[in-house]
Amino acid sequence: MWGRVRGIGSAMLGSLRTGKGAGPRERPHNLFEAAAAYVSACAEDDQDRIEEAAGWVSPEALSFGVNELACRAVVALARERDESPGAVARALLGLPAA
């Protein structure tokens, strides 16, 4: 039995080394790449890129990635401006200071 398993593994490894097999596979996008592409496409109002990025991951994963990107952006701007994250978030949204 183990000889058969080793044989299958060797065949797979050999096909990877020689380039034979399923052909080139594109690396899947992660949720942070999808979020970055989605947000930048939204900022540029590029509907084609928005739809493309939205298809890279599940809607839940995209939502999480966009949220994480927003948090990181607000923190970075707050540090740059020497303001609180709350003040920066309110300013970005055009809300009055709290």
Side-chain angles (χ1 to χ4, degrees):
M1 179 176 132
W2 291 112
R4 185 174 178 189
V5 171
R6 272 188 247 122
I8 292 170
S10 296
M12 287 176 52
L13 185 58
S15 69
L16 290 173
R17 287 183 181 153
T18 61
K20 296 177 185 173
R25 287 190 296 190
E26 191 174 309
R27 180 182 63 83
H29 298 280
N30 70 39
L31 65 101
F32 297 115
E33 289 173 325
Y38 181 84
V39 169
S40 63
C42 287
E44 296 169 359
D45 197 26
D46 186 337
Q47 191 61 39
D48 291 336
R49 284 182 41 224
I50 290 170
E51 291 172 7
E52 179 186 1
W56 291 349
V57 295
S58 72
E60 296 82 12
L62 182 60
S63 177
F64 175 81
V66 168
N67 182 61
E68 186 66 23
L69 177 59
C71 290
R72 291 179 187 196
V74 166
V75 168
L77 280 173
R79 287 180 182 155
E80 185 178 291
R81 296 178 180 182
D82 198 27
E83 296 178 8
S84 72
V88 170
R90 293 184 69 79
L92 288 171
L93 293 171
L95 299 173

